[in-house]
């Protein structure tokens, strides 16, 4: 009698491959270290703390945030996407308001926006450079022209995101592989681009990602309900 093998999905095998091929090039760091070294958010700790306090106060006034965390509940992926766009819009508004009080004229105008649940793939001049993902931060304008959300060039994608409403190993792997594939399209379409930021969410846990041509950095997962 021959032993039957457990059924496996070819897709799962392909999505596991990226972890093996990038195992030696991936660095995991605490979220604070990620923000300090891979973004410019913590270059001025005092300024950052003031901005965060201003955003928090504004979000609580708008009932987007409470003392217990975000006011929305997320039951389905659609509700996650819809609410996340509202939260990002509110945060952007608070940032612009704060910059006005600090008299930073160059920072008073938004340059990016978040769009979720896209029905169209990105447009790329490079063959094979288009991609689809759950959400993207895109430039509002490129070369002085407004960007239509229905026709987003890959060059206008600033950051990408991938979501799952349940926390499990399969969903983590799926998010990681889809984010990596999207980043690969972006870097392939633009040879001059050095890096791309991403974030993934599985249920209440979130991770930041930094993809460059030399290595990948990922923050330790944190609870975005509590650590907003």
């Amino acid at each position: 009698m021959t032993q039957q093998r457990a059924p496996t999905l070819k897709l799962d095998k392909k999505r596991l491959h990226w972890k093996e091929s990038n195992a030696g090039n991936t660095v995991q760091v605490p979220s604070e270290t990620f923000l300090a070294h891979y973004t410019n958010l913590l270059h001025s700790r005092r300024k950052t703390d003031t901005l965060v306090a201003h955003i928090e106060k504004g979000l609580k006034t708008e009932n987007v945030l409470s003392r217990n965390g975000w006011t929305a509940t997320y039951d389905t992926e659609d509700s996650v996407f819809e609410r996340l766009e509202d939260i990002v819009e509110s945060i952007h508004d608070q940032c612009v308001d704060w910059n006005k009080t600090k008299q930073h004229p160059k920072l008073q105008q938004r340059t990016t926006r978040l769009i979720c649940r896209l029905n169209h793939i990105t447009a790329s001049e490079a063959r094979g450079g288009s991609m689809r993902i759950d959400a993207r931060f895109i430039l509002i304008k490129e070369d002085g022209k407004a960007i239509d959300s229905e026709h987003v060039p890959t060059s206008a994608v600033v950051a990408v995101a991938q979501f799952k409403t349940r926390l499990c190993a399969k969903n983590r792997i799926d998010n990681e592989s889809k984010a990596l594939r999207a980043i690969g399209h972006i870097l392939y379409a633009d040879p001059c681009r050095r890096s791309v930021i991403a974030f993934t969410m599985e249920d209440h846990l979130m991770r930041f990602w930094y993809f460059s041509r030399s290595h990948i950095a990922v923050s330790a997962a944190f609870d975005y309900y509590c650590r907003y």
Side-chain angles (χ1 to χ4, degrees):
M1 182 176 179
T2 58
Q3 184 179 5
Q4 291 185 348
R5 297 179 60 185
T8 58
L9 295 176
K10 293 182 179 180
L11 185 61
D12 288 341
K13 290 183 178 180
K14 291 180 179 179
R15 290 175 177 175
L16 280 168
H17 174 68
W18 88 268
K19 300 195 72 160
E20 298 173 358
S21 60
N22 290 282
N25 299 323
T26 304
V27 180
Q28 180 169 319
V29 298
S31 56
E32 293 81 2
T33 304
F34 183 96
L35 295 175
H37 290 275
Y38 292 101
T39 73
N40 62 352
L41 295 180
L42 298 185
H43 285 183
S44 175
R45 185 77 203 197
R46 184 178 179 182
K47 182 183 294 185
T48 301
D49 290 343
T50 304
L51 173 59
V52 171
H54 180 89
I55 293 173
E56 184 177 343
K57 181 180 179 181
L59 295 181
K60 288 180 177 178
T61 301
E62 296 180 1
N63 197 32
V64 176
L65 188 66
S66 71
R67 63 193 305 178
N68 297 320
W70 304 106
T71 56
T73 56
Y74 307 115
D75 299 322
T76 65
E77 285 194 5
D78 287 335
S79 65
V80 171
F81 297 131
E82 182 179 358
R83 186 57 174 162
L84 191 59
E85 285 188 346
D86 294 338
I87 290 174
V88 171
E89 286 296 313
S90 297
I91 292 175
H92 269 132
D93 291 342
Q94 296 303 322
C95 288
V96 171
D97 182 64
W98 182 82
N99 286 325
K100 288 181 179 179
T101 63
K102 300 301 178 181
Q103 297 182 348
H104 295 312
K106 292 184 179 180
L107 302 178
Q108 290 178 15
Q109 293 183 350
R110 288 180 51 184
T111 57
T112 64
R113 63 190 176 107
L114 177 68
I115 52 177
C116 300
R117 276 302 192 196
L118 299 165
N119 296 322
H120 301 277
I121 62 175
T122 57
S124 175
E125 293 181 356
R127 185 176 181 181
S130 300
M131 57 88 180
R132 185 194 303 274
I133 199 165
D134 283 343
R136 311 177 199 128
F137 278 95
I138 68 168
L139 296 173
I140 294 177
K141 292 183 179 181
E142 188 176 45
D143 297 330
K145 298 180 180 179
I147 295 176
D148 182 6
S149 60
E150 300 295 325
H151 185 81
V152 179
T154 305
S155 59
V157 178
V158 178
V160 298
Q162 189 68 32
F163 311 118
K164 290 289 186 298
T165 56
R166 291 181 60 250
L167 176 61
C168 64
K170 182 177 180 180
N171 283 346
R172 283 172 59 95
I173 293 172
D174 187 74
N175 273 352
E176 292 167 355
S177 62
K178 287 180 178 178
L180 181 71
R181 185 166 63 245
I183 298 299
H185 284 302
I186 293 173
L187 295 178
Y188 170 76
D190 186 357
C192 295
R193 189 154 183 171
R194 295 183 297 176
S195 62
V196 185
I197 294 289
F199 64 91
T200 55
M201 298 164 60
E202 297 91 25
D203 193 13
H204 61 288
L205 294 183
M206 183 175 183
R207 289 175 294 165
F208 296 124
W209 295 81
Y210 172 88
F211 294 88
S212 73
R213 299 185 186 275
S214 63
H215 72 286
I216 301 170
V218 56
S219 73
F222 61 93
D223 189 334
Y224 64 88
Y225 277 166
C226 302
R227 297 188 59 194
Y228 49 80

